[in-house]
Structures are given as C-alpha cells and as structure tokens.
C-alpha cells in the first residue's frame, strides 16, 4: 500500500464515519485525492462498503449451499402409499452453511455468501445461522424461488427410504451476483467454495485473482467434478474417495494414488476422507493417514463439514500437522455423536477437552 493511501486508511480507522472533506482537511489533501485513495482501498478489499467498513484480519468467506433440512422419522415399519406415524424435525443445513457455522463455533470470523428465498423458511434459516456467530449480511435473497429444502423420510431404524431435494435456488448464485461481493472476497483471508455452485460460477471464481487462500469442498460424487476448473487455484481440497474419482474421471482404488493425482492437477493440499478409516493428508512434502478417534455415531450428517472446519481452525491455531489432523477428526467425531448436522457445543475448548478425555 502506497504511503498516501496508507495515511487515508489509517485516518478512516480512527474515524470510519468521517466525510471525504473532513478526511481531506485532516490530512492536508484535496477531497478529490482522498476520494481516489478510497476508491483504490475499496478495489483492493481494504474497505468493504458504505460508512468505510474496514476489512477484518483472518476473515473466512464461505460460498455455497444453505438450505433447510426436514426429516420424517417413522416410529414403525413404513407402509408405502399410506400415512405413517412418526416424528418430523427441521434443522439448518447445506454444506457451505454447515462449514460456516462450524468455523464460527470454533471462534473464527466467517461470512456466508449463499442464495436464500424471501420466505419464512429463509428468515428462519438466516436467524438460526446468525445465532451461531456467522456474518449473514452478505446472504442474497431471491424473491421468487423458495429457500433450498431437503426432505427426507427415514424408517424406524433411521435408514433413508426416500428424499426430495429442491435446490434450484443455488443456481441463482452466479458470477454477476458474486462480482458485487468483490470487496469482501478481495479482503478475505480464506475463501471456501463448495461444489453446490454451478459450473459457470466456479469457472468464474477460478478466473479471479484473490490474495486469499482458496479451499474447495467436493460435496458429493454427483457434484464433485464441478471443481475441475478451479483445481489449480486450490490451496486445499476436501474429498472422499468417490468424489476424488469423480473429479479425476478415474477408477483408481488406491487412496494415496488418488491424492497424488489431485496434487498433479495443481491442488496444494488434499484432505481425503476415508470414512471409518480416518483421513489421508497429502501435500508435496507430506503424506500420512490418521485413524479416526473412537466414537459412538448417532448420525453421519455434517461430519465431513466439521472435519474441514476443524482442520482450518487447527491451522489457524498454529498446530502442527499431527495435532491439526487429530483436532479435525475430533470435530468430526463429536458431530457423529450428535443428532444434529452441527454439534451445538463445538468450541476449541470442548474439542480439546474431548481429545484429552479419550
């Protein structure tokens, strides 16, 4: 940052609501010159909006899916083509949203960019997300499409019998809308992209030049291949084996070879989930498999989202690789032991204590 621009930046930090004329008089500069420096600071991501909202350090920005999960659980053997007694519950969901919530619960400053309907379900979803500490003012509201909804029916053993996913709204999160968030994206410490986004949107993100670390989550086997255009830009990619094969167009069964192939495509670090076998970490310098912590799973929903958030949080805590992977797996294990997609007590202190109690 040039000296005069830095002077303007420091003056705004002291008085964010000062007018351009007041800043000019204080700095002995012309109002036009101050305006030029403010424009430059905005383009570079140091200023985020009106009132000279300044960018915070170590900010995460998550771009991806946010939806409402509705689960029906039959209390008896399901009878097809008939009404079945049971329970119905509603909870916040969506890979991007889940990652954002986990990061916020772990003490990170995180913004969520997602498309949500202008409806009551959307209002509820935003309020639930905001209450966990996630910054939600960059969420985009759509006035015609409903909030994304996942409707699942489980039998009396908890096994999925059928589901309907109405996620049409995610495709409205396009390049034009994201370009309006350039200041936030330019100021971010880390940008997390999930594969719920359309191919066109991910391709647009791949063409941008961000100073932030770029992290990808493959989401599912059906959507993972959407990340191909952005692979050379990714500092970190979280996948499972099926998702890795989908991205690579491969039938390879050796997880180490899958991870190495992703590195060959330009990814700096790979977190390859092995399910009950733990996680495989690969980079140009290291390759190691870390087993899962012992746990009594209740639901596997959201465990992968917690794994990624836990790893990012551990790196932010400057933990070494072994401790980072252990912390990430503990976040996943705690989530497995919870009936919710996000463990409501997921904090650095609680995760650390959980590991110590093993």
């Amino acid at each position: 940052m040039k000296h005069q621009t830095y002077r303007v930046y420091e003056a705004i930090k002291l008085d964010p609501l000062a007018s351009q004329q007041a800043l000019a008089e204080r700095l002995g500069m012309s109002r036009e010159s101050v305006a030029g420096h403010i424009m430059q600071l905005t383009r570079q991501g140091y200023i985020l909006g009106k009132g000279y909202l300044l960018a915070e350090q170590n900010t995460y920005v998550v771009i991806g899916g946010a939806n409402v999960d509705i689960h029906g659980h039959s209390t008896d053997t399901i009878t097809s083509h008939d009404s079945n007694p049971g329970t119905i519950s509603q909870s916040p969901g969506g890979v991007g949203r889940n990652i954002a919530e986990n990061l916020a619960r772990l003490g990170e400053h995180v913004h969520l960019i997602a498309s949500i309907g202008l409806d009551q379900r959307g209002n509820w979803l935003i309020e639930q997300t905001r209450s966990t500490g996630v910054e939600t003012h960059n969420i985009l509201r759509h006035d015609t499409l409903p909030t994304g909804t996942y409707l699942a029916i489980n039998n009396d053993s908890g096994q999925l019998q059928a589901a309907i996913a109405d996620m049409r709204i995610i495709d409205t999160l396009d390049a034009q809308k994201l370009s309006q968030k350039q200041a936030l994206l330019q100021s971010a410490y880390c940008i997390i992209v999930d594969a719920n986004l359309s191919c066109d949107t991910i391709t647009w993100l791949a063409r941008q030049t961000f100073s932030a670390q770029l992290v990808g989550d493959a989401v599912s086997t059906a959507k993972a291949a959407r990340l191909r255009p952005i692979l050379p830009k990714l500092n970190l990619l979280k996948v499972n084996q099926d998702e890795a094969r989908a991205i690579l167009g491969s039938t390879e069964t050796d997880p180490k070879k899958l991870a190495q192939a992703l590195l060959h495509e330009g990814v700096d670090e790979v977190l390859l989930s092995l399910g009950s076998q733990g996680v495989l970490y690969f980079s140009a310098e290291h390759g190691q498999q870390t087993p899962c912590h012992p746990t009594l799973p209740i639901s596997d929903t959201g465990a992968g989202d917690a794994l990624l958030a836990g790893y990012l949080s551990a790196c932010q805590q400057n933990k070494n690789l072994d401790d980072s992977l252990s912390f990430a797996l503990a976040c996943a294990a705690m989530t497995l032991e919870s009936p919710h997609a996000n463990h409501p007590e997921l904090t650095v202190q609680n995760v650390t204590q959980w590991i110590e109690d093993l």
Side-chain angles (χ1 to χ4, degrees):
M1 190 186 300
K2 294 182 179 180
H3 176 65
Q4 290 293 80
T5 306
Y6 181 76
R7 289 185 64 215
V8 173
Y9 177 73
E10 288 296 311
I12 290 172
K13 284 175 64 177
L14 293 173
D15 188 1
L17 297 179
S19 67
Q20 291 182 2
Q21 185 59 46
L23 291 170
E25 293 173 358
R26 188 174 306 159
L27 296 169
M29 300 167 61
S30 68
R31 189 198 64 78
E32 291 78 10
S33 180
V34 168
H37 290 298
I38 289 173
M39 183 178 295
Q40 185 176 351
L41 288 166
T42 302
R43 288 173 177 168
Q44 293 175 348
Y46 291 102
I47 294 176
L48 302 184
K50 293 180 180 179
Y52 304 135
L53 176 63
L54 300 178
E56 303 94 343
Q57 289 186 336
N58 298 333
T59 298
Y60 289 84
V61 177
V62 183
I63 312 171
N67 54 264
V68 174
D69 291 341
I70 299 176
H71 290 273
H73 191 145
S74 176
T75 54
D76 205 344
T77 303
I78 286 183
T79 302
S80 299
H81 313 295
D82 201 359
S83 175
N84 292 269
T87 59
I88 297 174
S89 62
Q90 176 174 293
S91 60
V95 170
R97 198 217 65 85
N98 288 346
I99 294 170
E101 176 176 335
N102 285 322
L103 283 169
R105 290 189 181 279
L106 291 169
E108 305 299 340
H109 186 223
V110 53
H111 292 258
L112 176 64
I113 301 178
S115 190
I116 291 177
L118 197 60
D119 50 24
Q120 289 187 345
R121 194 170 287 161
N123 293 340
W124 178 85
L125 182 59
I126 290 174
E127 182 54 38
Q128 292 293 308
T129 304
R130 182 187 296 121
S131 68
T132 67
V134 176
E135 298 279 0
T136 59
H137 57 271
N138 284 289
I139 285 176
L140 302 166
R141 305 300 298 270
H142 199 283
D143 58 1
T144 58
L145 289 175
T147 296
T149 304
Y150 174 75
L151 174 63
I153 298 176
N154 298 324
N155 64 18
D156 54 324
S157 299
Q159 295 174 322
L160 182 68
Q161 297 298 291
I164 297 175
D166 182 359
M167 306 298 182
R168 293 169 290 163
I169 197 169
I170 189 67
D171 290 334
T172 67
L173 190 56
D174 55 20
Q176 181 181 3
K177 290 186 174 63
L178 283 181
S179 65
Q180 299 169 13
K181 306 294 182 181
Q182 278 279 13
L184 176 63
L185 296 173
Q186 291 293 345
S187 71
Y189 160 74
C190 178
I191 298 171
I192 302 168
V193 177
D194 86 28
N196 281 305
L197 299 174
S198 70
C199 292
D200 288 345
T201 301
I202 292 173
T203 298
W204 179 84
L205 285 165
R207 292 171 178 165
Q208 306 308 301
T209 302
F210 299 124
S211 60
Q213 295 184 34
L214 201 56
V215 174
D217 189 299
V219 175
S220 68
T221 305
K223 297 177 179 178
R226 298 180 184 180
L227 293 177
R228 285 175 187 161
I230 208 169
L231 291 180
K233 294 283 191 76
L234 291 182
N235 298 99
L236 173 67
L237 172 64
K238 196 275 287 181
V239 291
N240 63 28
Q241 294 183 73
D242 288 335
E243 292 162 356
R245 281 188 281 267
I247 291 173
L248 295 165
S250 170
T251 58
E252 179 60 61
T253 58
D254 185 338
K256 292 183 180 179
K257 291 182 179 178
L258 286 171
Q260 289 169 337
L262 289 168
L263 294 183
H264 183 73
E265 292 294 325
V267 180
D268 290 337
E269 298 177 83
V270 175
L271 272 183
L272 200 158
S273 173
L274 302 174
S276 61
Q277 302 302 309
V279 65
L280 180 68
Y281 170 89
F282 251 84
S283 69
E285 295 80 23
H286 299 284
Q288 69 180 73
Q289 181 176 335
T290 304
C292 289
H293 296 300
T295 185
L296 297 173
I298 294 176
S299 170
D300 61 0
T301 303
D305 307 331
L307 177 79
L308 177 56
Y311 180 75
L312 292 172
S313 175
C315 292
Q316 193 75 333
Q317 298 169 54
N318 295 316
K319 293 181 179 291
N320 61 36
L321 180 58
D322 287 341
D323 290 342
S324 292
L325 294 174
S326 176
F327 186 89
L329 286 164
C331 290
M334 287 180 64
T335 303
L336 285 168
E337 293 181 340
S338 169
H340 308 289
N342 297 87
H343 196 296
E345 303 299 327
L346 194 77
T347 65
V348 171
Q349 181 178 0
N350 288 343
V351 176
T352 302
Q353 187 63 53
W354 190 93
I355 295 172
E356 292 176 354
D357 289 342
L358 289 175

